[in-house]
Amino acid sequence: MNKKETQEIKKNFSDKSGFFIMERVLTGFVDAEKNVRYSKANACVTMSVEEHDVYDETLKKVLNTNVGRNFCEYEFPNEAYEEGKPQEILYSLLKSELKDEVVCENFLNHIANNITYTGPFAVITAYCVYTIRKKDKNDEFAEGDDEVYRYLLTAVCPVNTSSDGFVFDSFNNEITKKVNTELIISKAPSDGFLYPVFSNRSSDINHVMYYAKSASKPNTSIVEDVLGCSFVMSADSEKSSFQSILKTVVGDDLDYMVIKTVNEKLQEVAEESKDETDTAVIDNTKLKGILTDIGVPQERVEMTDPVFERVCGNTPLTVSNLIEKKTVLSSAGITVNIKPDAADKVRTSVIDGRRCLLIDIDDPTIEINGLPVTLN
């Protein structure tokens, strides 16, 4: 799934869209010893508005549009389709529409038995139906060609006791320490997944989307053990690997202009691929092309293949994880943050034997610690 497809599902994750229905919700509670202590599937039509809204709010967070970073697509390996394996478990749950108690319990037990998680947690899974309006060659909705996308959206939510503090006891007219043993289910999932994926505006049962609240700390046990897929590098690891490759390949030629221009090239690749289903990636061949285009010496460019293979193997890197939203220049005691539209205003130079950072100022008045200063 790309960002556009994720946005379509997220935008329509509401009864108000007219094309979406959340039919049933399965909730389960797993204690710290990984025992499923509670499970129940309810029809949404019988819920109160307040309860329904909480489910909406919680589950919608899994549909994160930061695709490739917080929301990543994985393909099931062949063994995942065997009986009792992750894809088969999910597909059986999808077909059951959360109406088969045995299938639901099997799903929750599979998560409890395979997840690595600190403390108790709740599992919330919704069976949803989205009617896909098809368009004709004139980009207008075509009559009678609608398709139905049926999917499961799961949120894994941490459970904690509410924070202790002081309360005013109006009965005894005194302030006392609050004692609370209630277990509160967070409305901010730590992890989640969408199955099947919404690809080319259709259902794809061979792939699953995994959500991590913290892109730098994904729960690899969910990807590998619960979903049965092969985990790829986290967003931060990809960026670190790319920086290592760039530093090794370009060597002493690595300067401000090279770093700035490579970042601009990555932005161009992302922009060109924004409407494609597949996530934009960069491999050794594409990186060689970028380095050649920006004038890196050919003998340095030829180092890309072995360096890339040593750092990443045959795994390409996700472009969106490599793009810097701002340029940060750091030296001893000095840090300068530069937004993309101001990157051309910064230069490095040697003046009277001293290495200098030069910043073009269009307006003679600047602010220092919030106070206006005029440059003469």
Side-chain angles (χ1 to χ4, degrees):
M1 287 176 69
N2 58 23
K3 183 176 181 179
K4 183 178 180 181
E5 291 164 335
T6 304
Q7 286 176 329
E8 179 177 348
I9 297 303
K10 185 170 186 175
K11 178 183 177 182
N12 286 283
F13 193 80
S14 169
D15 291 337
K16 297 177 182 178
S17 79
F19 304 106
F20 168 85
I21 299 175
M22 185 164 71
E23 294 192 354
R24 294 180 70 83
V25 174
L26 168 67
T27 53
F29 173 76
V30 182
D31 65 21
E33 286 71 43
K34 305 299 181 286
N35 300 304
V36 179
R37 297 278 298 276
Y38 169 87
S39 66
K40 189 174 183 180
N42 292 320
C44 295
V45 70
T46 62
M47 292 180 187
S48 67
V49 174
E50 293 77 13
E51 184 180 6
H52 198 289
D53 287 346
V54 172
Y55 283 130
D56 280 351
E57 181 184 352
T58 302
L59 289 164
K60 197 169 186 177
K61 289 183 173 69
V62 175
L63 297 171
N64 191 292
T65 55
N66 198 348
V67 177
R69 185 172 175 82
N70 295 83
F71 203 38
C72 300
E73 182 170 337
Y74 286 90
E75 182 177 9
F76 290 109
N78 292 335
E79 56 269 24
Y81 295 84
E82 298 173 4
E83 185 176 355
K85 296 299 183 178
Q87 196 276 348
E88 191 272 337
I89 290 174
L90 286 174
Y91 187 62
S92 296
L93 190 68
L94 178 69
K95 289 195 299 180
S96 78
E97 301 179 7
L98 305 185
K99 295 177 181 178
D100 188 316
E101 185 175 332
V102 174
V103 173
C104 289
E105 289 183 359
N106 184 37
F107 168 70
L108 291 174
N109 283 319
H110 172 71
I111 293 178
N113 293 334
N114 290 281
I115 196 172
T116 299
Y117 208 89
T118 303
F121 62 92
V123 178
I124 302 173
T125 297
Y127 171 71
C128 307
V129 178
Y130 170 55
T131 301
I132 309 165
R133 297 297 309 278
K134 294 295 185 180
K135 295 184 178 181
D136 58 24
K137 60 182 179 180
N138 298 318
D139 200 34
E140 296 180 353
F141 289 121
E143 294 294 333
D145 291 332
D146 295 344
E147 181 180 337
V148 176
Y149 169 51
R150 305 175 189 276
Y151 64 94
L152 301 170
L153 188 62
T154 296
V156 179
C157 304
V159 176
N160 298 289
T161 55
S162 59
S163 59
D164 291 339
F166 291 100
V167 295
F168 179 69
D169 184 344
S170 58
F171 182 79
N172 295 310
N173 200 36
E174 62 180 357
I175 292 177
T176 61
K177 186 177 184 299
K178 178 183 179 183
V179 178
N180 196 335
T181 58
E182 290 183 333
L183 289 172
I184 307 300
I185 298 173
S186 173
K187 291 191 292 184
S190 60
D191 306 89
F193 47 90
L194 167 72
Y195 174 82
V197 302
F198 183 63
S199 179
N200 287 320
R201 305 199 76 233
S202 188
S203 176
D204 179 0
I205 63 171
N206 300 310
H207 292 79
V208 62
M209 297 294 293
Y210 164 68
Y211 162 77
K213 180 181 178 181
S214 173
S216 61
K217 297 178 181 179
N219 190 328
T220 57
S221 73
I222 295 180
V223 175
E224 296 183 337
D225 302 320
V226 174
L227 300 177
C229 301
S230 297
F231 178 73
V232 297
M233 282 191 288
S234 67
D236 288 351
S237 295
E238 286 198 310
K239 180 175 288 187
S240 177
S241 296
F242 183 73
Q243 291 174 339
S244 175
I245 294 170
L246 204 59
K247 182 168 61 176
T248 303
V249 171
V250 182
D252 293 339
D253 292 322
L254 190 63
D255 58 15
Y256 176 79
M257 288 305 299
V258 169
I259 295 171
K260 170 180 139 344
T261 309
V262 167
N263 196 54
E264 290 173 349
K265 291 289 186 180
L266 293 174
Q267 290 174 325
E268 291 175 7
V269 173
E271 181 64 24
E272 292 169 356
S273 308
K274 67 178 182 180
D275 293 329
E276 296 181 7
T277 300
D278 295 333
T279 301
V281 296
I282 186 168
D283 56 13
N284 56 320
T285 302
K286 289 183 180 179
L287 181 56
K288 285 168 66 176
I290 289 175
L291 297 179
T292 300
D293 289 345
I294 67 176
V296 173
Q298 195 59 34
E299 61 270 20
R300 306 297 305 188
V301 173
E302 294 304 320
M303 296 173 58
T304 304
D305 289 338
V307 173
F308 198 102
E309 183 176 359
R310 185 176 72 248
V311 176
C312 302
N314 297 319
T315 305
L317 301 173
T318 306
V319 172
S320 60
N321 292 339
L322 312 180
I323 296 173
E324 298 286 359
K325 293 182 173 57
K326 63 181 178 180
T327 301
V328 180
L329 303 181
S330 300
S331 186
I334 300 173
T335 300
V336 180
N337 294 299
I338 307 164
K339 292 183 178 180
D341 58 356
D344 291 333
K345 298 181 183 296
V346 180
R347 294 171 287 123
T348 57
S349 184
V350 177
I351 300 177
D352 295 334
R354 294 176 62 85
R355 291 182 291 274
C356 300
L357 176 67
L358 306 178
I359 303 176
D360 296 332
I361 304 296
D362 298 328
D363 190 332
T365 301
I366 63 173
E367 288 189 358
I368 300 178
N369 291 340
L371 298 173
V373 175
T374 300
L375 298 178
N376 297 321

